[in-house]
Amino acid sequence: PPELSVLSYVMASAKAAPSDFNRLLVAWALVVIACSYGYLQDVHLTKPVGKGASLSVFSEERALAFAREMEAGGPRPTGSAAEMHAFARIQSELAAIQSAASDADPTGDLVVEVIRTSHSGQFSLADAAREQHMVYHDLAAVAVRVRHRRWRPGNFSRAVMVSVHVDTIHVSSGGSDNGASVGIAVELIRSLVAHGASDPLALRDGAAVVIFSSAEEEGFMGAHGVVTSHPWYNEVRCVLNLEAMGNGGPHRMFQATSGRASAELLAMWSQAAPKPQGSVLLADIFASGIIKSNTDHRIFRDVGDTPGFDFAFVENTHLYHTPGDLLSAVRPGSLQTSGDNLLAFMKAYAKAPPLESGGDVSLTQPQYQSRPHVSRRKPLTWFAPPGASTYIMYDVLDPEISRALFVAGVALLLQVASGTYMANAADPRDLVRVMLAGPLAGFGAAAAVAAGPAGAVLAAVGVAAAA
């Protein structure tokens, strides 16, 4: 039988050429170690900081305490009493931070503004399958802005905005979606204010805005209201949207806008964030339509034409939009890792905002699609190898070059295969070796990309050992 023939080839190869067989075993072992290293580095989270830490330092314990208040109120469907209570609690906490800022900065250089707004409007929301007409009225939003007193609203002013939605689906209290992000956002403002009070000039060139909106679960209506009618949105040049498609783990970047301004912002995120995590592959999967979902990021990009990034918790996806989405299931360090990254980026942005003014990122507005230069935006590849502290970023090759490289790789593979399988005097041991070494080469190459610096070395050695 064919199975016995293959088995006899393997046994014959092991007996007749032990050195070759051992090399393959060592090679596979190195690749497995590389992938294991990559996985462990990828899921590693920063150690949580306690509530007694300095206010200028992001504290997971403080963020969790506020998130638990959100969770304790139960589900927060749009317009419900529970959601209104959550907005009131957020506003009161921000007011307390605002009051503390006045006491901490007697010079008056640090300005902390808190406003509550309501939004009404309508828009069309379409995808490949259907189009819906969304109508909303009197949706609540609470926003806080931290700036230097010399920073003034205007066409040349720049602000970075963190967006979180407060509402939940009706069956879940929203531990991760989106209570954890609300806690992160409140603690983020507390840390920024403490940082600005000690060094107001650090916020002189860029303002930091955090907005808490509604109706994300109902079709992104709250975000639409923010984009079209919020008094602070005109100065926003970058939006960081915090979401969840699971329960805890790394807050992964899974969507990013295109264009020169987006590339500058992505480079700034890569350099500033202590532990950036995400990959353009996630963005491609999401954009393909395989995942039948979307977030407020879509509105900021397509309606607001604003560069930005979308982040989500993606562990324990079976808990997403269920009563089991509880903060008790969130891994320790999830909020700390996210908060450290966001705080570092917002500090960097406020100190030296990118020169690019933004725009040209919308995928749906006709006035943007008609611009000739928009269609020529060069795609950007970006990903964070586990264990690395920065993204790897590069422009996607032109299609002609990509096709040429693909054809060359296929031709080389066919040449190797024909030389082994079609030789007149092919040795069975060579057949077995190619059968094992071929997958190893592809597997090892993927590990070299995904497993981080040390893992890449191990994977490359493994592939070389099989050669």
Side-chain angles (χ1 to χ4, degrees):
E3 293 83 359
L4 292 179
S5 300
V6 173
L7 180 61
S8 64
Y9 283 164
V10 173
M11 297 303 294
S13 177
K15 292 178 181 179
S19 61
D20 289 348
F21 193 75
N22 290 341
R23 287 170 64 191
L24 282 172
L25 288 179
V26 170
W28 274 105
L30 289 172
V31 171
V32 168
I33 291 172
C35 292
S36 300
Y37 165 86
Y39 172 77
L40 293 174
Q41 287 290 324
D42 184 60
V43 300
H44 174 72
L45 297 170
T46 307
K47 183 179 178 181
V49 173
K51 63 180 180 180
S54 168
L55 294 181
S56 62
V57 175
F58 186 94
S59 165
E60 175 174 297
E61 194 168 332
R62 291 193 293 256
L64 268 176
F66 194 85
R68 290 190 183 104
E69 289 190 44
M70 297 291 104
E71 184 180 72
R76 303 180 295 278
T78 299
S80 65
E83 189 196 39
M84 292 301 101
H85 175 75
F87 273 116
R89 180 67 188 92
I90 292 168
Q91 189 172 2
S92 67
E93 186 70 14
L94 295 177
I97 295 173
Q98 181 184 37
S99 177
S102 300
D103 297 336
D105 178 35
T107 66
D109 286 339
L110 180 67
V111 179
V112 181
E113 303 162 284
V114 180
I115 62 171
R116 180 164 178 162
T117 55
S118 63
H119 304 273
S120 303
Q122 55 183 312
F123 65 103
S124 293
L125 186 66
D127 55 30
R130 61 179 180 174
E131 181 174 354
Q132 303 176 78
H133 192 70
M134 317 299 290
V135 180
Y136 57 94
H137 176 69
D138 202 23
L139 292 180
V142 172
V144 54
R145 182 165 65 185
V146 183
R147 62 179 178 87
H148 191 276
R149 63 181 176 83
R150 294 181 183 175
W151 187 94
R152 291 285 188 271
N155 292 335
F156 298 102
S157 299
R158 291 173 170 81
V160 56
M161 185 177 89
V162 169
S163 170
V164 295
H165 70 87
V166 178
D167 61 304
T168 69
I169 61 167
H170 68 284
V171 299
S172 175
S173 57
S176 277
D177 187 19
N178 208 21
S181 293
V182 171
I184 289 170
V186 169
E187 177 63 13
L188 182 63
I189 283 296
R190 194 190 325 273
S191 299
L192 277 171
V193 168
H195 171 67
S198 62
D199 183 15
L201 290 178
L203 303 173
R204 186 177 61 182
D205 294 329
V209 176
V210 173
I211 193 157
F212 303 85
S213 61
S214 179
E216 189 274 345
E217 303 291 359
E218 305 299 328
F220 329 121
M221 292 182 282
H224 186 271
V226 169
V227 168
T228 56
S229 59
H230 197 279
W232 292 351
Y233 195 77
N234 286 340
E235 289 77 40
V236 172
R237 299 293 182 266
C238 173
V239 178
L240 310 177
N241 188 55
L242 306 187
E243 260 293 353
M245 291 186 288
N247 184 277
H251 223 164
R252 300 184 187 278
M253 183 187 293
F254 72 102
Q255 292 195 91
T257 52
S258 300
R260 289 180 298 176
S262 302
E264 281 195 37
L265 292 167
L266 197 61
M268 176 178 282
W269 175 266
S270 173
Q271 294 165 8
K275 191 175 175 59
Q277 290 177 289
S279 169
V280 71
L281 179 61
L282 300 175
D284 291 341
I285 293 174
F286 202 78
S288 69
I290 295 175
I291 300 175
K292 303 298 182 183
S293 182
N294 223 308
T295 73
D296 285 340
H297 171 83
R298 169 180 179 174
I299 301 299
F300 297 127
R301 179 195 64 203
D302 294 342
V303 180
D305 194 32
T306 310
F309 313 128
D310 209 3
F311 302 85
F313 294 118
V314 294
E315 285 188 359
N316 300 317
T317 54
H318 62 285
L319 300 177
Y320 175 59
H321 279 185
T322 72
D325 181 16
L326 301 171
L327 289 169
S328 58
V330 175
R331 267 203 302 141
S334 299
L335 279 67
Q336 188 68 49
T337 305
S338 175
D340 285 348
N341 285 341
L342 291 165
L343 181 59
F345 177 80
M346 294 186 81
K347 285 180 180 178
Y349 188 100
K351 187 175 183 180
L355 296 178
E356 284 286 344
S357 60
D360 290 346
V361 299
S362 177
L363 302 181
T364 61
Q365 297 296 318
Q367 63 266 37
Y368 304 134
Q369 292 178 332
S370 63
R371 295 177 186 169
H373 66 280
V374 173
S375 62
R376 296 197 297 267
R377 288 180 302 199
K378 203 170 184 63
L380 185 70
T381 289
W382 51 271
F383 59 94
S389 59
T390 59
Y391 280 163
I392 292 177
M393 300 169 52
Y394 55 89
D395 289 335
V396 174
L397 296 174
D398 292 332
E400 295 78 8
I401 299 176
S402 299
R403 283 193 289 268
L405 291 175
F406 177 78
V407 170
V410 170
L412 180 61
L413 180 63
L414 291 175
Q415 180 65 30
V416 172
S418 64
T420 303
Y421 289 96
M422 300 177 66
N424 294 330
D427 192 318
R429 290 171 296 178
D430 292 335
L431 298 178
V432 172
R433 187 178 178 190
V434 169
M435 289 169 60
L436 293 175
L440 173 63
F443 194 45
V449 170
V457 173
L458 286 173
V461 172
V463 174

